[in-house]
Amino acid sequence: MDKSKKIIVNYKELVIIDLNESDVNLIRSSQKILENSYSPYSGFKVGCSVLLSSGKVLCANNQENVAYPSGMCAERVALFYASSKYPNSKILKIAVSARSDVFKINDMISPCGSCRQVIAEYERKQGSDIEIILHVNDDKILVFEKASDLLPLVFDSPPLRKY
Ligand code: THU
């Protein structure tokens, strides 16, 4: 008997004119903030903007360090900031943009595994999905409805939630 299973990843592939004004603004915010990225080691600038249920948009970028693992991705800088400043606001969606002055980035970037796990944590905490909009150029934008679309079989263990 064949015991293999398949996981289907659901997402939309769009162009900028398919998006509403609010989503375009979110992308433009992440594009703007990536310019402040501190990425002297990789030359890979990433910006992330977070839309809260209040309508507020928070933005952050990747921060690198000479001790490489001490750096942090744009998504986690933005999400940790959002959760620390507005712990009771729901996060509706995030947009992630990337650019480099030193090499060409192909038309697909997506959050690393640790960032996916962090997005999933906030979804569980707030009890609702966080949409993820990925952007490198206006001709190809990927939209995922929720973190589990990017991270199937996410780690979770309710007994670890003690306090
Ligand atoms: N990076 C992000 O900020 N977000 C991602 O989704 C992928 C990678 C950063 C980490 C590091 O500063 C640089 O990009 C190269 O990996």
Side-chain angles (χ1 to χ4, degrees):
M1 192 179 117
D2 183 8
K3 294 191 174 175
S4 56
K5 309 270 182 217
K6 278 193 185 121
I7 291 174
I8 293 176
V9 176
N10 294 302
Y11 66 97
K12 288 189 194 127
E13 192 179 307
L14 306 174
V15 294
I16 199 85
I17 54 165
D18 295 326
L19 301 181
N20 63 31
E21 196 184 340
S22 161
D23 287 354
V24 174
N25 287 341
L26 202 62
I27 285 179
R28 297 299 177 228
S29 299
S30 61
Q31 277 182 299
K32 189 167 178 216
I33 201 72
L34 71 76
E35 296 302 337
N36 294 349
S37 156
Y38 178 62
S39 42
Y41 303 102
S42 71
F44 194 85
K45 297 178 172 190
V46 185
C48 177
S49 49
V50 176
L51 176 65
L52 302 179
S53 50
S54 63
K56 200 166 203 39
V57 174
L58 302 176
C59 303
N61 47 49
N62 54 327
Q63 296 293 314
E64 298 187 345
N65 192 281
V66 64
Y68 291 1
S70 301
M72 183 68 72
C73 294
E75 295 91 322
R76 274 176 289 160
V77 177
L79 288 164
F80 291 157
Y81 178 58
S83 181
S84 53
K85 178 107 172 134
Y86 301 101
N88 300 316
S89 286
K90 283 196 176 190
I91 297 166
L92 300 184
K93 49 181 87 182
I94 66 170
V96 185
S97 300
R99 200 180 69 70
S100 176
D101 295 324
V102 278
F103 52 85
K104 186 169 163 20
I105 298 176
N106 64 23
D107 58 8
M108 174 68 193
I109 53 128
S110 72
C112 75
S114 297
C115 290
R116 295 175 196 207
Q117 183 73 32
V118 167
I119 302 165
E121 179 80 16
Y122 290 130
E123 283 189 342
R124 190 196 47 70
K125 176 189 169 217
Q126 67 185 27
S128 60
D129 295 344
I130 298 175
E131 188 178 283
I132 301 155
I133 303 171
L134 305 179
H135 170 267
V136 171
N137 66 61
D138 289 0
D139 298 328
K140 190 168 178 183
I141 294 159
L142 306 188
V143 180
F144 297 80
E145 271 178 28
K146 52 188 183 302
S148 58
D149 289 335
L150 270 176
L151 187 60
L153 308 179
V154 59
F155 173 72
D156 194 15
S157 177
L160 291 179
R161 282 195 284 282
K162 291 189 189 123
Y163 307 108

